Amino acid sequence: MKIKIADLEFEPLINEDLIIERTKAIGQQLNADYLQSIPVFVGVLNGSFLFIADLIKQINIPCEIAFTKLASYYGGTTSKLKIRDDIDLMVDIKGRDVLIIEDIVDTGNTLHYLIDKLKQREPASIKVCSLLLKPEALQSPIEELKYVGFEIKNEFVVGYGLDYQEMGRNLRDIYKKVE
Ligand code: 5GP
């Protein structure tokens, strides 16, 4: 069923059941991959808040959770280079295994910026888990991107935490913009 948010129309792309199923599989993989360490999961707010919550519930090894907030969109539907950096991590990641949890990787600029910033704090390792990836939009490869929920086309999506003009974050499924 199509929905309207502000001036745009959206149609269903990925339903809640599929998201939960994929999130469980990634969680199991993380439990195995981080068995030997106590990782710090760094959730990137706001868009990934539901994914962070659902993914963390699948984790059964000892871990810490921290948050940061970045934004590169400013209410539109195309990625802008300018990045606003709002809050610090509040956790010392020196010597720690860090896993960044993102909602979506589009151009990859936000992630490159965040990875560079976190590397300055000398963690033992940095990897990235993103619910969504737009391979066609990616401007340069991100070797730290080890876990991806779904690859999607180069289209604007909302729901399951992702917004359009700050709305639509509450939708349980992911929708794409009707062209
Ligand atoms: P990048 O820097 O990779 O171009 O953009 C990453 C950020 O842009 C994401 O964390 C997200 O906040 C936002 N973004 C990218 N694509 C979309 C999209 O299709 N929908 C929404 N709502 N946000 C997006």
Side-chain angles (χ1 to χ4, degrees):
M1 200 184 65
K2 285 185 187 167
I3 56 165
K4 193 152 192 229
I5 301 177
D7 55 330
L8 296 182
E9 253 198 329
F10 293 87
E11 59 192 2
L13 181 66
I14 308 170
N15 74 31
E16 183 183 23
D17 292 346
L18 205 55
I19 297 170
I20 297 301
E21 190 186 306
R22 188 72 191 107
T23 303
K24 276 187 186 159
I26 296 173
Q28 281 168 10
Q29 187 67 52
L30 294 174
N31 287 329
D33 292 355
Y34 287 95
L35 195 58
Q36 306 301 331
S37 76
I38 301 178
V40 182
F41 294 119
V42 175
V44 185
L45 299 172
N46 294 335
S48 58
F49 77 102
L50 290 179
F51 180 49
I52 298 166
D54 285 337
L55 184 64
I56 287 300
K57 283 189 270 182
Q58 303 300 327
I59 302 300
N60 55 28
I61 53 163
C63 63
E64 285 182 43
I65 300 153
F67 298 95
T68 190
K69 185 171 177 175
L70 302 166
S72 68
Y73 255 73
Y74 300 99
T77 62
T78 50
S79 195
K80 307 254 168 55
L81 241 187
K82 189 169 168 8
I83 291 164
R84 201 181 62 207
D85 181 349
D86 281 350
I87 40 173
D88 193 33
L89 278 182
M90 314 290 284
V91 173
D92 184 7
I93 58 167
K94 189 170 178 168
R96 306 291 301 274
D97 291 315
V98 170
L99 181 80
I100 297 170
I101 304 176
E102 258 284 21
D103 49 1
I104 186 162
V105 180
D106 185 352
T107 63
N109 292 327
T110 308
L111 211 46
H112 278 301
Y113 171 86
L114 180 61
I115 290 168
D116 284 351
K117 209 172 152 237
L118 294 185
K119 272 188 180 164
Q120 290 165 15
R121 302 183 186 194
E122 301 173 16
S125 70
I126 298 189
K127 287 180 185 167
V128 180
C129 172
S130 181
L131 175 65
L132 302 170
L133 168 67
K134 298 180 188 173
E136 292 160 21
L138 199 59
Q139 289 180 358
S140 60
I142 302 174
E143 64 175 87
E144 292 85 356
L145 185 55
K146 298 284 185 214
Y147 310 91
V148 172
F150 303 93
E151 291 192 355
I152 61 169
K153 295 211 178 92
N154 198 0
E155 52 203 1
F156 186 76
V157 293
V158 292
Y160 193 64
L162 288 152
D163 76 304
Y164 172 54
Q165 295 187 353
E166 290 304 324
M167 285 182 292
R169 295 192 194 278
N170 54 311
L171 297 165
R172 304 177 80 104
D173 305 319
I174 293 172
Y175 292 74
K176 66 172 181 175
K177 187 180 140 208
V178 176
E179 295 301 334

